[in-house]
Amino acid sequence: MDPIITLVIEDDDRIGAILSELVAATPGFSLLGRAGTLAQADAMMAGVVPQLLLVDVSLPDGSGLEWVSRLRSHNREAYVIMVTASRDVETIQQALNLGVHDYVIKPLRLFRIQQSLDEILQLHSRLCERGRLEQEDLDKLLGKGGRSQIKEMRVTPKGIDSITLRQVLDLLAGEPENVFSTDTVALRLSLSRTTARRYLEYLESEDRVDVDLNYGQRGRPERRDRWRRAG
């Protein structure tokens, strides 16, 4: 199976770079590039048709949702992950009606993006392998496998390697009085900054760390993580 050609459409340079790095580093995906505007996205898609789009809602030259709607009206099919700060019900409902695969609310949680990529890869692979699917197979692909499947996903979340997770846990728990930046964790454990951030965000979602945001001169927050003591 050929890699899933992916286009990131995000006007924030920092977020766009993080998403692009994650896509490029995930096996089974090929990064077409990043567009900062819808016009740039249209130009990049003139010669190559991507199979996956990571799209922001608010872009300098229009709405990402309206742009996806136009694609659908012209029968241009692609998996779509909306990555946006928009969290109002009307926008989310509009996205769901357009058949987007996932809707991820900023600030970014990289393990959550990784989870979406893994699900799309699994779905795409199975659809490419088989001309027909039984209901049981389809239910599993669509996440309708019941409580046992949900429990399994919680124990071994997608995009989180147990060995790397243990290294991060040992570092933070071994120095509970220290506050760690993402760069420090990356340096101490020889990880990329993107990988370190993904594991810290996962631990935050599991209530294992406390997080403070330190706003620099440009107003972009830097994470400061500290081990959360029991009780």
Side-chain angles (χ1 to χ4, degrees), residues 12 14 213-222:
D12 185 295
R14 176 174 168 273
L213 295 180
N214 179 34
Y215 287 85
Q217 294 181 352
R218 298 182 61 188
R220 298 200 178 281
E222 180 183 16

Side-chain angles (χ1 to χ4, degrees), residues 16-180:
I18 291 173
L19 291 173
S20 297
E21 180 182 344
L22 182 61
V23 170
T26 301
F29 292 86
S30 174
L31 179 66
L32 174 61
R34 179 177 74 88
T37 66
L38 298 174
Q40 290 177 2
D42 287 332
M44 295 177 71
M45 293 173 61
V48 179
V49 180
Q51 297 154 294
L52 171 61
L53 303 166
L54 277 70
V55 189
D56 194 358
V57 170
S58 299
L59 291 157
D61 54 346
S63 164
L65 274 178
E66 292 179 2
W67 182 78
V68 171
S69 180
R70 289 198 298 272
L71 290 183
R72 297 288 197 238
S73 67
H74 289 87
N75 295 319
R76 301 191 67 173
E77 297 298 330
Y79 301 108
V80 177
I81 301 174
M82 303 303 302
V83 183
T84 175
S86 300
R87 60 185 67 199
D88 59 283
V89 174
E90 182 179 355
T91 300
I92 295 172
Q93 185 63 58
Q94 184 181 354
L96 295 176
N97 290 340
L98 287 173
V100 303
H101 180 82
D102 206 350
Y103 193 103
V104 181
I105 299 174
K106 297 176 183 176
L108 287 182
R109 297 290 183 266
L110 293 191
F111 80 91
R112 183 66 176 76
I113 301 291
Q114 184 71 63
Q115 189 176 57
S116 289
L117 294 178
D118 291 341
E119 290 172 355
I120 287 173
L121 181 61
Q122 182 183 18
L123 175 61
H124 186 71
S125 300
R126 295 294 295 274
L127 292 177
C128 288
E129 289 173 0
R130 302 186 180 189
R132 299 175 61 184
L133 288 174
E134 300 297 332
Q135 184 67 57
E136 181 179 357
D137 294 327
L138 184 59
D139 287 346
K140 290 179 179 179
L141 289 176
L142 297 179
K144 302 181 183 298
R147 293 180 179 272
S148 60
Q149 183 185 20
I150 294 174
K151 181 178 179 181
E152 180 181 354
M153 290 176 61
R154 292 286 292 170
V155 173
T156 56
K158 295 180 180 179
I160 301 296
D161 173 73
S162 59
I163 296 177
T164 304
L165 179 61
R166 173 48 55 189
Q167 292 175 331
V168 178
L169 283 169
D170 288 346
L171 173 62
L172 271 64
E175 303 177 32
E177 302 302 326
N178 289 345
V179 178
F180 291 87

